[in-house]
Amino acid sequence: MVTKLIFDCDPGVDDAVALFMAFAAPQDLEILAITTVGGNVAADLTARNAAIIRQIAGREDVPIHAGAKVPLIRPPLDAGDFHGESGLGALPLFAPTKGVEEGHAANVIVDLVMRHGPGEVTLAVTGPCTNLALAMRLEPDIIERLGLIVVMGGARREGGNVTASAEYNIWADPHAAEVVFSSGARCVVMGLDVTHQVRSDPARIAAIAAIDTPAAQASANLLAFSSALERDIVGGAGAPIHDPCVIAYILAPELFTLRPCQLKVETSSRLTVGHTAVEFGLQDPAAARIFWATHADADGVFALLNELLAR
Ligand code: BDR
Ligand code: CA
């Protein structure tokens, strides 16, 4: 069955690799729209970066709609340290031949979800949740109508990657994340507990670099950039490929283990804002709407990534 997908992202090095994966799977994913949000870098750059990746992938048939420039409440804060000034690391840039389409991302999400049948549209979110939260506020009926939402965000066992307890996407717009996770929509959450298990070590990058397609060559460049930064700033073996876990889950859910949970986002504490409080002790696990990823088959994710990049 083909999954109808809206891919909301803030490219971003690892968002870009996730985009290549999604673009390479037209027989499994019908991408209704790419929507972009200010996050890793400013909103005009994330939209442009999505258009660059689309062109490298040869998928100009997929529309891109730019969205929120700033978070709902907190001031914007970027992650240029980890994604380079452009947001795409050291990838050679060019002006994309095709730009973004008219229409704000939040309106496009509302229109597409309402135009399709109940449960028909899946949402991948690999940046701050601002666009989706805006869409849920614009038209609350989308909440019931949406299919699965797969979000990269949050941390439990691993602790945070921006502050002691907060992961970047949630920290960048905690209020938007709280709107999404408290909405009652069905969400699968790929937090750092699982994305830290999926790392692009030198052997894995070399395997991608050996694939002779534009998407693989660009991905090897992007992953080499983030792995070098990870080594210099954090130490340790290879950068986690956070956002590709979202697309890997949508294409091959058997690669991940999930646990039903309740998830609340800290929005007001000075020290722990953006913390995801993930509670597994549920009275009625069968009624859970949120599923927290606890384990990934990293070799399986890379095998899938390599297979897609070779297409
Ligand atoms: C998340 O933050 C961003 O910098 C990455 O693109 C990813 O979505 C990881 O914390
Ligand atoms: Ca991202």
Side-chain angles (χ1 to χ4, degrees):
M1 204 190 70
V2 179
T3 300
K4 293 183 190 301
L5 182 73
I6 300 174
F7 190 166
D8 189 57
C9 55
D10 64 335
V13 167
D14 57 332
D15 302 76
V17 176
L19 281 167
F20 281 131
M21 291 175 82
F23 284 138
Q27 59 281 69
D28 297 309
L29 299 178
E30 180 188 345
I31 310 175
L32 302 174
I34 305 289
T35 53
T36 57
V37 62
N40 283 323
V41 285
D44 54 336
L45 295 183
T46 59
R48 179 211 56 185
N49 292 348
I52 288 176
I53 300 302
R54 174 178 66 177
Q55 189 163 326
I56 296 172
R59 289 299 311 270
E60 283 96 333
D61 56 301
V62 176
I64 297 173
H65 296 270
K69 295 182 177 167
V70 294
L72 294 187
I73 294 174
R74 72 169 302 160
L77 296 145
D78 73 28
D81 283 2
F82 276 89
H83 298 265
E85 243 174 70
S86 72
L88 292 179
L91 197 70
L93 300 179
F94 56 87
T97 342
K98 190 173 177 213
V100 301
E101 274 68 20
E102 288 290 311
H104 191 283
N107 289 320
V108 169
I109 293 171
V110 169
D111 288 350
L112 286 170
V113 173
M114 295 313 287
R115 211 189 304 150
H116 286 85
E120 253 194 319
V121 177
T122 297
L123 246 143
V125 182
T126 63
C129 295
T130 322
N131 285 335
L132 182 52
L134 285 171
M136 286 179 166
R137 289 298 197 239
L138 275 171
E139 180 45 272
D141 286 355
I142 68 166
I143 293 166
E144 279 233 323
R145 215 172 170 83
L146 265 166
L148 188 62
I149 303 171
V150 187
V151 180
M152 191 282 130
R156 184 179 186 271
R157 193 194 55 224
E158 283 291 290
N161 61 358
V162 189
T163 66
S165 57
E167 179 281 328
Y168 177 76
N169 286 341
I170 308 298
W171 177 81
D173 196 341
H175 302 90
E178 178 59 13
V179 168
V180 170
F181 293 128
S182 65
S183 68
R186 205 155 67 88
C187 298
V188 164
V189 191
M190 297 281 148
L192 300 182
D193 294 5
V194 79
T195 65
H196 280 183
Q197 297 170 29
V198 189
R199 290 180 182 267
S200 52
D201 62 25
R204 285 170 170 161
I205 297 174
I208 292 171
I211 302 170
D212 187 20
T213 62
Q217 292 303 303
S219 296
N221 177 309
L222 292 161
L223 295 177
F225 176 89
S226 53
S227 277
L229 269 185
E230 180 85 9
R231 194 187 51 229
D232 296 348
I233 301 179
V234 188
I241 56 163
H242 307 282
D243 297 340
C245 289
V246 167
I247 301 302
Y249 177 80
I250 292 168
L251 292 172
E254 67 280 2
L255 295 174
F256 297 87
T257 308
L258 307 179
R259 277 185 81 174
C261 70
Q262 201 180 58
L263 193 164
K264 303 237 178 288
V265 180
E266 177 58 73
T267 53
S268 58
S269 153
R270 188 174 63 84
L271 288 179
T272 62
V273 66
H275 171 69
T276 41
V278 178
E279 169 65 66
F280 292 136
L282 306 181
Q283 276 189 341
D284 181 8
R289 302 297 289 164
I290 304 194
F291 299 83
W292 181 256
T294 56
H295 183 263
D297 169 356
D299 287 335
V301 174
F302 273 93
L304 175 66
L305 173 61
N306 290 15
E307 196 251 300
L308 291 166
L309 294 174
R311 287 184 187 173

PDB file of all heavy atoms in Angstrom, residues 2-8 18 22-23 28-34 62 112 120-125 148 150 246-247 250:
ATOM      1  N   VAL A   2       0.499   2.239  -0.804  1.00  0.00           N
ATOM      2  CA  VAL A   2       1.281   3.477  -0.856  1.00  0.00           C
ATOM      3  C   VAL A   2       0.830   4.411   0.277  1.00  0.00           C
ATOM      4  O   VAL A   2      -0.360   4.642   0.457  1.00  0.00           O
ATOM      5  CB  VAL A   2       1.094   4.186  -2.214  1.00  0.00           C
ATOM      6  CG1 VAL A   2       1.878   5.484  -2.259  1.00  0.00           C
ATOM      7  CG2 VAL A   2       1.512   3.269  -3.345  1.00  0.00           C
ATOM      8  N   THR A   3       1.789   4.904   1.039  1.00  0.00           N
ATOM      9  CA  THR A   3       1.487   5.836   2.131  1.00  0.00           C
ATOM     10  C   THR A   3       1.482   7.262   1.591  1.00  0.00           C
ATOM     11  O   THR A   3       2.442   7.692   0.947  1.00  0.00           O
ATOM     12  CB  THR A   3       2.565   5.718   3.236  1.00  0.00           C
ATOM     13  OG1 THR A   3       2.564   4.380   3.719  1.00  0.00           O
ATOM     14  CG2 THR A   3       2.314   6.683   4.380  1.00  0.00           C
ATOM     15  N   LYS A   4       0.412   7.993   1.864  1.00  0.00           N
ATOM     16  CA  LYS A   4       0.359   9.411   1.486  1.00  0.00           C
ATOM     17  C   LYS A   4       1.029  10.200   2.600  1.00  0.00           C
ATOM     18  O   LYS A   4       0.606  10.105   3.761  1.00  0.00           O
ATOM     19  CB  LYS A   4      -1.085   9.865   1.318  1.00  0.00           C
ATOM     20  CG  LYS A   4      -1.783   9.211   0.139  1.00  0.00           C
ATOM     21  CD  LYS A   4      -3.182   9.762   0.010  1.00  0.00           C
ATOM     22  CE  LYS A   4      -4.024   8.986  -0.978  1.00  0.00           C
ATOM     23  NZ  LYS A   4      -3.494   8.947  -2.332  1.00  0.00           N
ATOM     24  N   LEU A   5       2.047  10.971   2.231  1.00  0.00           N
ATOM     25  CA  LEU A   5       2.905  11.577   3.247  1.00  0.00           C
ATOM     26  C   LEU A   5       3.031  13.083   3.080  1.00  0.00           C
ATOM     27  O   LEU A   5       3.230  13.588   1.978  1.00  0.00           O
ATOM     28  CB  LEU A   5       4.303  10.952   3.139  1.00  0.00           C
ATOM     29  CG  LEU A   5       5.345  11.431   4.153  1.00  0.00           C
ATOM     30  CD1 LEU A   5       5.050  10.856   5.547  1.00  0.00           C
ATOM     31  CD2 LEU A   5       6.755  11.034   3.724  1.00  0.00           C
ATOM     32  N   ILE A   6       2.929  13.797   4.214  1.00  0.00           N
ATOM     33  CA  ILE A   6       3.387  15.188   4.271  1.00  0.00           C
ATOM     34  C   ILE A   6       4.665  15.157   5.105  1.00  0.00           C
ATOM     35  O   ILE A   6       4.670  14.602   6.211  1.00  0.00           O
ATOM     36  CB  ILE A   6       2.354  16.114   4.939  1.00  0.00           C
ATOM     37  CG1 ILE A   6       1.030  16.096   4.181  1.00  0.00           C
ATOM     38  CG2 ILE A   6       2.899  17.548   5.013  1.00  0.00           C
ATOM     39  CD1 ILE A   6      -0.096  16.880   4.873  1.00  0.00           C
ATOM     40  N   PHE A   7       5.725  15.729   4.572  1.00  0.00           N
ATOM     41  CA  PHE A   7       7.029  15.680   5.251  1.00  0.00           C
ATOM     42  C   PHE A   7       7.384  17.101   5.686  1.00  0.00           C
ATOM     43  O   PHE A   7       7.711  17.950   4.865  1.00  0.00           O
ATOM     44  CB  PHE A   7       8.069  15.105   4.290  1.00  0.00           C
ATOM     45  CG  PHE A   7       9.410  14.782   4.920  1.00  0.00           C
ATOM     46  CD1 PHE A   7      10.329  13.998   4.238  1.00  0.00           C
ATOM     47  CD2 PHE A   7       9.764  15.253   6.179  1.00  0.00           C
ATOM     48  CE1 PHE A   7      11.574  13.692   4.790  1.00  0.00           C
ATOM     49  CE2 PHE A   7      10.995  14.958   6.745  1.00  0.00           C
ATOM     50  CZ  PHE A   7      11.904  14.175   6.040  1.00  0.00           C
ATOM     51  N   ASP A   8       7.283  17.346   6.997  1.00  0.00           N
ATOM     52  CA  ASP A   8       7.534  18.668   7.575  1.00  0.00           C
ATOM     53  C   ASP A   8       8.951  18.676   8.173  1.00  0.00           C
ATOM     54  O   ASP A   8       9.247  17.878   9.064  1.00  0.00           O
ATOM     55  CB  ASP A   8       6.482  18.923   8.664  1.00  0.00           C
ATOM     56  CG  ASP A   8       6.509  20.347   9.170  1.00  0.00           C
ATOM     57  OD1 ASP A   8       6.368  21.268   8.353  1.00  0.00           O
ATOM     58  OD2 ASP A   8       6.692  20.539  10.393  1.00  0.00           O
ATOM     59  N   ALA A  18      17.169  12.364   5.207  1.00  0.00           N
ATOM     60  CA  ALA A  18      15.811  11.800   5.317  1.00  0.00           C
ATOM     61  C   ALA A  18      14.991  12.134   4.069  1.00  0.00           C
ATOM     62  O   ALA A  18      14.212  11.302   3.578  1.00  0.00           O
ATOM     63  CB  ALA A  18      15.130  12.332   6.573  1.00  0.00           C
ATOM     64  N   ALA A  22      13.062   9.580   1.405  1.00  0.00           N
ATOM     65  CA  ALA A  22      11.639   9.655   1.026  1.00  0.00           C
ATOM     66  C   ALA A  22      11.487   9.820  -0.482  1.00  0.00           C
ATOM     67  O   ALA A  22      10.635   9.173  -1.103  1.00  0.00           O
ATOM     68  CB  ALA A  22      10.975  10.811   1.768  1.00  0.00           C
ATOM     69  N   PHE A  23      12.330  10.660  -1.080  1.00  0.00           N
ATOM     70  CA  PHE A  23      12.245  10.886  -2.528  1.00  0.00           C
ATOM     71  C   PHE A  23      12.534   9.605  -3.320  1.00  0.00           C
ATOM     72  O   PHE A  23      12.065   9.450  -4.446  1.00  0.00           O
ATOM     73  CB  PHE A  23      13.241  11.966  -2.965  1.00  0.00           C
ATOM     74  CG  PHE A  23      12.828  13.375  -2.626  1.00  0.00           C
ATOM     75  CD1 PHE A  23      13.753  14.288  -2.127  1.00  0.00           C
ATOM     76  CD2 PHE A  23      11.528  13.814  -2.832  1.00  0.00           C
ATOM     77  CE1 PHE A  23      13.391  15.600  -1.833  1.00  0.00           C
ATOM     78  CE2 PHE A  23      11.149  15.122  -2.541  1.00  0.00           C
ATOM     79  CZ  PHE A  23      12.086  16.017  -2.039  1.00  0.00           C
ATOM     80  N   ASP A  28       6.396   3.371  -2.483  1.00  0.00           N
ATOM     81  CA  ASP A  28       5.872   3.210  -1.119  1.00  0.00           C
ATOM     82  C   ASP A  28       5.308   4.508  -0.553  1.00  0.00           C
ATOM     83  O   ASP A  28       4.443   4.485   0.312  1.00  0.00           O
ATOM     84  CB  ASP A  28       6.992   2.736  -0.179  1.00  0.00           C
ATOM     85  CG  ASP A  28       7.515   1.369  -0.585  1.00  0.00           C
ATOM     86  OD1 ASP A  28       6.687   0.471  -0.755  1.00  0.00           O
ATOM     87  OD2 ASP A  28       8.740   1.233  -0.769  1.00  0.00           O
ATOM     88  N   LEU A  29       5.846   5.638  -1.013  1.00  0.00           N
ATOM     89  CA  LEU A  29       5.439   6.930  -0.449  1.00  0.00           C
ATOM     90  C   LEU A  29       4.962   7.865  -1.547  1.00  0.00           C
ATOM     91  O   LEU A  29       5.713   8.160  -2.484  1.00  0.00           O
ATOM     92  CB  LEU A  29       6.630   7.610   0.248  1.00  0.00           C
ATOM     93  CG  LEU A  29       7.282   6.886   1.416  1.00  0.00           C
ATOM     94  CD1 LEU A  29       8.472   7.700   1.935  1.00  0.00           C
ATOM     95  CD2 LEU A  29       6.273   6.676   2.539  1.00  0.00           C
ATOM     96  N   GLU A  30       3.733   8.332  -1.399  1.00  0.00           N
ATOM     97  CA  GLU A  30       3.277   9.412  -2.277  1.00  0.00           C
ATOM     98  C   GLU A  30       3.449  10.696  -1.459  1.00  0.00           C
ATOM     99  O   GLU A  30       2.683  10.948  -0.519  1.00  0.00           O
ATOM    100  CB  GLU A  30       1.804   9.204  -2.649  1.00  0.00           C
ATOM    101  CG  GLU A  30       1.282  10.301  -3.551  1.00  0.00           C
ATOM    102  CD  GLU A  30      -0.233  10.197  -3.759  1.00  0.00           C
ATOM    103  OE1 GLU A  30      -0.831   9.139  -3.453  1.00  0.00           O
ATOM    104  OE2 GLU A  30      -0.811  11.208  -4.187  1.00  0.00           O
ATOM    105  N   ILE A  31       4.473  11.478  -1.782  1.00  0.00           N
ATOM    106  CA  ILE A  31       4.719  12.689  -0.985  1.00  0.00           C
ATOM    107  C   ILE A  31       3.783  13.778  -1.478  1.00  0.00           C
ATOM    108  O   ILE A  31       3.936  14.306  -2.584  1.00  0.00           O
ATOM    109  CB  ILE A  31       6.190  13.144  -1.083  1.00  0.00           C
ATOM    110  CG1 ILE A  31       7.149  11.967  -0.802  1.00  0.00           C
ATOM    111  CG2 ILE A  31       6.455  14.271  -0.074  1.00  0.00           C
ATOM    112  CD1 ILE A  31       8.619  12.311  -1.007  1.00  0.00           C
ATOM    113  N   LEU A  32       2.797  14.117  -0.652  1.00  0.00           N
ATOM    114  CA  LEU A  32       1.811  15.127  -1.043  1.00  0.00           C
ATOM    115  C   LEU A  32       2.431  16.514  -1.003  1.00  0.00           C
ATOM    116  O   LEU A  32       2.103  17.363  -1.831  1.00  0.00           O
ATOM    117  CB  LEU A  32       0.610  15.084  -0.098  1.00  0.00           C
ATOM    118  CG  LEU A  32      -0.137  13.748  -0.002  1.00  0.00           C
ATOM    119  CD1 LEU A  32      -1.205  13.823   1.075  1.00  0.00           C
ATOM    120  CD2 LEU A  32      -0.740  13.377  -1.349  1.00  0.00           C
ATOM    121  N   ALA A  33       3.313  16.735  -0.039  1.00  0.00           N
ATOM    122  CA  ALA A  33       4.004  18.027   0.072  1.00  0.00           C
ATOM    123  C   ALA A  33       5.165  17.897   1.033  1.00  0.00           C
ATOM    124  O   ALA A  33       5.121  17.106   1.978  1.00  0.00           O
ATOM    125  CB  ALA A  33       3.056  19.108   0.582  1.00  0.00           C
ATOM    126  N   ILE A  34       6.192  18.688   0.751  1.00  0.00           N
ATOM    127  CA  ILE A  34       7.247  18.940   1.737  1.00  0.00           C
ATOM    128  C   ILE A  34       6.894  20.296   2.332  1.00  0.00           C
ATOM    129  O   ILE A  34       6.667  21.262   1.586  1.00  0.00           O
ATOM    130  CB  ILE A  34       8.639  19.048   1.060  1.00  0.00           C
ATOM    131  CG1 ILE A  34       8.976  17.821   0.213  1.00  0.00           C
ATOM    132  CG2 ILE A  34       9.716  19.361   2.095  1.00  0.00           C
ATOM    133  CD1 ILE A  34       9.257  16.574   0.970  1.00  0.00           C
ATOM    134  N   VAL A  62       7.380  17.091  -6.634  1.00  0.00           N
ATOM    135  CA  VAL A  62       6.847  17.221  -5.267  1.00  0.00           C
ATOM    136  C   VAL A  62       6.833  18.699  -4.860  1.00  0.00           C
ATOM    137  O   VAL A  62       7.872  19.366  -4.914  1.00  0.00           O
ATOM    138  CB  VAL A  62       7.719  16.422  -4.258  1.00  0.00           C
ATOM    139  CG1 VAL A  62       7.228  16.632  -2.835  1.00  0.00           C
ATOM    140  CG2 VAL A  62       7.751  14.948  -4.616  1.00  0.00           C
ATOM    141  N   LEU A 112      -4.613  19.540   2.845  1.00  0.00           N
ATOM    142  CA  LEU A 112      -4.335  18.170   2.394  1.00  0.00           C
ATOM    143  C   LEU A 112      -5.000  17.146   3.308  1.00  0.00           C
ATOM    144  O   LEU A 112      -5.565  16.158   2.837  1.00  0.00           O
ATOM    145  CB  LEU A 112      -2.824  17.922   2.326  1.00  0.00           C
ATOM    146  CG  LEU A 112      -2.109  18.604   1.150  1.00  0.00           C
ATOM    147  CD1 LEU A 112      -0.591  18.497   1.308  1.00  0.00           C
ATOM    148  CD2 LEU A 112      -2.548  17.969  -0.185  1.00  0.00           C
ATOM    149  N   GLU A 120      -5.933   8.803   6.301  1.00  0.00           N
ATOM    150  CA  GLU A 120      -5.202   8.549   5.042  1.00  0.00           C
ATOM    151  C   GLU A 120      -3.842   9.226   4.961  1.00  0.00           C
ATOM    152  O   GLU A 120      -2.970   8.763   4.252  1.00  0.00           O
ATOM    153  CB  GLU A 120      -6.053   9.051   3.870  1.00  0.00           C
ATOM    154  CG  GLU A 120      -6.674   7.954   3.050  1.00  0.00           C
ATOM    155  CD  GLU A 120      -7.198   8.508   1.737  1.00  0.00           C
ATOM    156  OE1 GLU A 120      -7.782   9.603   1.717  1.00  0.00           O
ATOM    157  OE2 GLU A 120      -7.007   7.845   0.732  1.00  0.00           O
ATOM    158  N   VAL A 121      -3.676  10.339   5.669  1.00  0.00           N
ATOM    159  CA  VAL A 121      -2.432  11.105   5.506  1.00  0.00           C
ATOM    160  C   VAL A 121      -1.516  10.895   6.719  1.00  0.00           C
ATOM    161  O   VAL A 121      -1.909  11.090   7.861  1.00  0.00           O
ATOM    162  CB  VAL A 121      -2.719  12.613   5.332  1.00  0.00           C
ATOM    163  CG1 VAL A 121      -1.418  13.407   5.244  1.00  0.00           C
ATOM    164  CG2 VAL A 121      -3.573  12.850   4.100  1.00  0.00           C
ATOM    165  N   THR A 122      -0.299  10.471   6.428  1.00  0.00           N
ATOM    166  CA  THR A 122       0.741  10.319   7.458  1.00  0.00           C
ATOM    167  C   THR A 122       1.591  11.581   7.462  1.00  0.00           C
ATOM    168  O   THR A 122       1.849  12.162   6.407  1.00  0.00           O
ATOM    169  CB  THR A 122       1.627   9.095   7.111  1.00  0.00           C
ATOM    170  OG1 THR A 122       0.811   7.933   7.142  1.00  0.00           O
ATOM    171  CG2 THR A 122       2.779   8.927   8.081  1.00  0.00           C
ATOM    172  N   LEU A 123       2.014  11.991   8.652  1.00  0.00           N
ATOM    173  CA  LEU A 123       2.884  13.162   8.754  1.00  0.00           C
ATOM    174  C   LEU A 123       4.236  12.781   9.324  1.00  0.00           C
ATOM    175  O   LEU A 123       4.298  12.119  10.368  1.00  0.00           O
ATOM    176  CB  LEU A 123       2.232  14.179   9.685  1.00  0.00           C
ATOM    177  CG  LEU A 123       1.815  15.442   8.970  1.00  0.00           C
ATOM    178  CD1 LEU A 123       0.540  15.977   9.516  1.00  0.00           C
ATOM    179  CD2 LEU A 123       2.924  16.479   9.081  1.00  0.00           C
ATOM    180  N   ALA A 124       5.293  13.166   8.632  1.00  0.00           N
ATOM    181  CA  ALA A 124       6.645  13.008   9.178  1.00  0.00           C
ATOM    182  C   ALA A 124       7.085  14.389   9.635  1.00  0.00           C
ATOM    183  O   ALA A 124       6.986  15.350   8.871  1.00  0.00           O
ATOM    184  CB  ALA A 124       7.590  12.494   8.101  1.00  0.00           C
ATOM    185  N   VAL A 125       7.550  14.501  10.875  1.00  0.00           N
ATOM    186  CA  VAL A 125       7.991  15.805  11.394  1.00  0.00           C
ATOM    187  C   VAL A 125       9.429  15.653  11.886  1.00  0.00           C
ATOM    188  O   VAL A 125       9.691  14.925  12.836  1.00  0.00           O
ATOM    189  CB  VAL A 125       7.088  16.293  12.551  1.00  0.00           C
ATOM    190  CG1 VAL A 125       7.544  17.671  13.022  1.00  0.00           C
ATOM    191  CG2 VAL A 125       5.628  16.341  12.123  1.00  0.00           C
ATOM    192  N   LEU A 148      -1.121   8.540  11.071  1.00  0.00           N
ATOM    193  CA  LEU A 148      -0.031   8.553  12.045  1.00  0.00           C
ATOM    194  C   LEU A 148       0.852   9.796  11.883  1.00  0.00           C
ATOM    195  O   LEU A 148       1.087  10.251  10.766  1.00  0.00           O
ATOM    196  CB  LEU A 148       0.817   7.288  11.826  1.00  0.00           C
ATOM    197  CG  LEU A 148       1.902   7.003  12.851  1.00  0.00           C
ATOM    198  CD1 LEU A 148       1.283   6.781  14.235  1.00  0.00           C
ATOM    199  CD2 LEU A 148       2.705   5.776  12.424  1.00  0.00           C
ATOM    200  N   VAL A 150       4.694  10.836  12.772  1.00  0.00           N
ATOM    201  CA  VAL A 150       5.981  10.300  13.251  1.00  0.00           C
ATOM    202  C   VAL A 150       6.928  11.482  13.445  1.00  0.00           C
ATOM    203  O   VAL A 150       7.241  12.201  12.486  1.00  0.00           O
ATOM    204  CB  VAL A 150       6.583   9.272  12.260  1.00  0.00           C
ATOM    205  CG1 VAL A 150       7.819   8.626  12.873  1.00  0.00           C
ATOM    206  CG2 VAL A 150       5.556   8.210  11.885  1.00  0.00           C
ATOM    207  N   VAL A 246      12.920   8.609  11.129  1.00  0.00           N
ATOM    208  CA  VAL A 246      11.483   8.830  10.910  1.00  0.00           C
ATOM    209  C   VAL A 246      11.034   8.156   9.612  1.00  0.00           C
ATOM    210  O   VAL A 246      10.036   7.428   9.576  1.00  0.00           O
ATOM    211  CB  VAL A 246      11.177  10.350  10.893  1.00  0.00           C
ATOM    212  CG1 VAL A 246       9.785  10.637  10.362  1.00  0.00           C
ATOM    213  CG2 VAL A 246      11.351  10.917  12.290  1.00  0.00           C
ATOM    214  N   ILE A 247      11.788   8.388   8.553  1.00  0.00           N
ATOM    215  CA  ILE A 247      11.405   7.786   7.266  1.00  0.00           C
ATOM    216  C   ILE A 247      11.638   6.267   7.308  1.00  0.00           C
ATOM    217  O   ILE A 247      10.836   5.497   6.779  1.00  0.00           O
ATOM    218  CB  ILE A 247      12.187   8.450   6.103  1.00  0.00           C
ATOM    219  CG1 ILE A 247      11.901   9.963   6.079  1.00  0.00           C
ATOM    220  CG2 ILE A 247      11.813   7.813   4.765  1.00  0.00           C
ATOM    221  CD1 ILE A 247      10.433  10.356   5.923  1.00  0.00           C
ATOM    222  N   ILE A 250       8.643   4.754   8.887  1.00  0.00           N
ATOM    223  CA  ILE A 250       7.454   4.741   8.014  1.00  0.00           C
ATOM    224  C   ILE A 250       7.579   3.634   6.955  1.00  0.00           C
ATOM    225  O   ILE A 250       6.612   2.950   6.638  1.00  0.00           O
ATOM    226  CB  ILE A 250       7.243   6.129   7.374  1.00  0.00           C
ATOM    227  CG1 ILE A 250       6.856   7.133   8.473  1.00  0.00           C
ATOM    228  CG2 ILE A 250       6.170   6.096   6.282  1.00  0.00           C
ATOM    229  CD1 ILE A 250       6.897   8.588   8.047  1.00  0.00           C
TER     230      ILE A 250
END
